[in-house]
Amino acid sequence: MIYDTLSHIEAYRGIHSGVYRALEILRNTDFSLLEDKRYEVDGDNLFYFLQSYESKPANDTPEAHRKYIDIQCVLTGIEAMGVGALEDMTREVESRPEGDVWFYHGPMDFVTLSPGKFAVLWPGDAHAPGIAVGQPAQCRKCVFKVKV
């Protein structure tokens, strides 16, 4: 997992071309001009979606993906995200292979996503997004999917 601010994306230039390209788009795009939906950059290899939602009091089923790296960046609002190593998850509770998502129970640490901060989540990173910091709040997020 990478947890950082958009002002530091140059440090990630060489780790994965799709990840770096997504970070550049995150840094350089005014998402307030775009509606909530899926946007293709390079077909199924690199795309993102914009979503608006209210953060929730808890999320005790972290998810993980096998075909995609997630890059999550809150555009407005604030949320906590639980994160944990996939090998530390204690039980798989649901699988949706057609959507490349598996849900688990297990121990997590927490990071806070607010505008300008992002998390890169590799297939080995379980993550539970959308958790309220204090009271539930309206959020808008950009989530990139980068094929591995």
Side-chain angles (χ1 to χ4, degrees):
M1 181 189 132
I2 297 170
Y3 173 64
D4 206 342
T5 65
L6 292 172
S7 60
H8 298 139
I9 71 165
E10 293 306 318
Y12 307 107
R13 182 180 290 272
I15 64 164
H16 186 286
S17 60
V19 169
Y20 183 72
R21 187 170 179 200
L23 291 173
E24 283 185 309
I25 293 168
L26 270 173
R27 178 184 62 192
N28 299 330
T29 303
D30 182 356
F31 293 104
S32 69
L33 303 174
L34 301 175
E35 63 183 84
D36 288 1
K37 67 176 192 174
R38 176 181 163 145
Y39 294 87
E40 291 189 10
V41 177
D42 183 16
D44 284 338
N45 293 315
L46 176 62
F47 61 92
Y48 65 93
F49 55 90
L50 298 172
Q51 60 186 29
S52 297
Y53 56 93
E54 184 173 285
S55 58
K56 52 194 172 217
N59 181 350
D60 64 354
T61 52
E63 64 188 66
H65 313 288
R66 296 179 184 172
K67 296 180 184 176
Y68 287 94
I69 299 164
D70 265 13
I71 302 172
Q72 299 198 16
C73 183
V74 169
L75 304 170
T76 60
I78 187 170
E79 74 172 39
M81 178 187 292
V83 293
L86 187 56
E87 63 264 19
D88 292 340
M89 295 296 110
T90 56
R91 184 169 64 94
E92 182 181 301
V93 295
E94 183 181 352
S95 65
R96 298 181 198 159
E98 68 285 350
D100 188 43
V101 64
W102 286 258
F103 295 93
Y104 299 91
H105 283 158
M108 294 182 287
D109 294 309
F110 294 87
V111 297
T112 301
L113 291 177
S114 58
K117 294 182 180 177
F118 67 89
V120 178
L121 303 143
W122 306 93
D125 298 322
H127 51 287
I131 302 169
V133 176
Q135 295 297 317
Q138 276 301 121
C139 296
R140 187 163 195 241
K141 181 191 282 186
C142 181
V143 178
F144 274 87
K145 296 293 209 171
V146 182
K147 196 166 201 168
V148 290

